[in-house]
Every structure is written in structure tokens, then in C-alpha cells.
Amino acid sequence: MRACFSRPVVVLVLVSSGALYPSHSAADPLRAPVVPALTIFETGEAHRATVSSDRDYQRLRWSLVGIQALDVHSTVTGIASGGVRETNFAMKPFATSTPWLLALKGVSTWIALKSADTLARRNRRAAFWLLAASNVAMSAIVVHNYRAGGRHR
């Protein structure tokens, strides 16, 4: 059961980072890999570095939402299975109540996304990599939660 839950998390991270989209041709932007690219505007604008497209940025945003939902599920499932406890002191008071945990995770996800959007106005590349790092870190936590919960069934 442990491998069953860790694979969707990895797929979410890979889809959001574009690793599952090999580049077959430059003409097909949906299959282009997500890599930092330098776009030079010839209309007299200053040279501007951009990171992939808005679609890729939105994928990272939605994958963070999905991973946060998986974190709630893995936490609630692990605690319900017995033998597992919340070790994050800030989350410990909320971990035993699913509605409170959902509310707290929803607010923290919203704050993270708004912060990334604010950063994206100044530095799109930094916002992109901030969301990518958040996805990877949260995926590791979710995989750990499912593994820890699976040992106690």
C-alpha cells in the first residue's frame, strides 16, 4: 500500500516540472520541457528573462494545492491508523480535527500562492522556482506521512 500512494505524488511533481513532456518539436509548445528560457523582445523593450509559460506556472500552483490536499489526507489517515502522531508543534493542536486541519492548510496554501504571485510580479523565475521547491518539499512530507501511516496498519 505504501507504493500506491507515493507514485501519484511523484507524478504531480514531474508533471508540474515538465519532466513528463519530452520535447518532440519546437513547434509544439505543449510538449516543450520546462526550462528557464531567455526571451529577447525586438520591439525595443529591454531584454527580459522568462521562465516557461503561464501554463507551467499554473501547473505548479495547482500541483501545490493537490499536494497540500494529499498532506491533509496522509496526516488524517496516519493519525487515524494509530501509532502515528503529528511532530510539527505548530500543527499538533489542529491535527486531530479534520475541519481545522483543512482550514489551516487552505489558508497556508492561499498565503503561499499569493506570496508567489507577488514575487512573480518582480521576478518570475524566482517565483517559479519557489513553487517548484515547495512542491518537492511537500511531496517528501506526504511520502513520509503515507509510509509512516502504512507501518501501523
Side-chain angles (χ1 to χ4, degrees):
M1 181 128 190
R2 186 170 13 153
C4 177
F5 287 109
S6 63
R7 286 190 183 135
V9 173
V10 173
V11 169
L12 280 173
V13 173
L14 292 175
V15 167
S16 67
S17 68
L20 294 180
Y21 294 90
S23 180
H24 294 291
S25 72
D28 188 5
L30 294 178
R31 295 192 179 269
V34 177
V35 293
L38 181 65
T39 303
I40 299 173
F41 297 96
E42 296 189 24
T43 59
E45 292 182 28
H47 299 305
R48 197 172 93 182
T50 60
V51 177
S52 63
S53 67
D54 285 336
R55 176 177 282 186
D56 297 324
Y57 185 75
Q58 292 301 319
R59 285 179 181 154
L60 280 174
R61 289 174 52 88
W62 282 108
S63 64
L64 183 63
V65 171
I67 291 168
Q68 291 285 6
L70 286 173
D71 183 37
V72 169
H73 181 262
S74 65
T75 301
V76 170
T77 304
I79 290 173
S81 70
V84 177
R85 59 185 172 81
E86 179 64 56
T87 57
N88 182 347
F89 73 92
M91 296 297 290
K92 195 176 283 191
F94 305 102
T96 55
S97 171
T98 304
W100 278 107
L101 186 61
L102 277 170
L104 185 64
K105 280 298 203 175
V107 168
S108 66
T109 303
W110 180 79
I111 289 170
L113 294 176
K114 292 305 276 184
S115 299
D117 289 345
T118 302
L119 178 60
R121 285 189 216 119
R122 284 189 238 160
N123 189 341
R124 182 91 170 159
R125 178 176 291 174
F128 182 88
W129 290 112
L130 174 70
L131 285 176
S134 297
N135 282 331
V136 170
M138 285 306 302
S139 296
I141 292 169
V142 168
V143 168
H144 174 268
N145 287 350
Y146 279 125
R147 285 183 178 167
R151 286 188 212 130
H152 299 285
R153 290 186 182 185

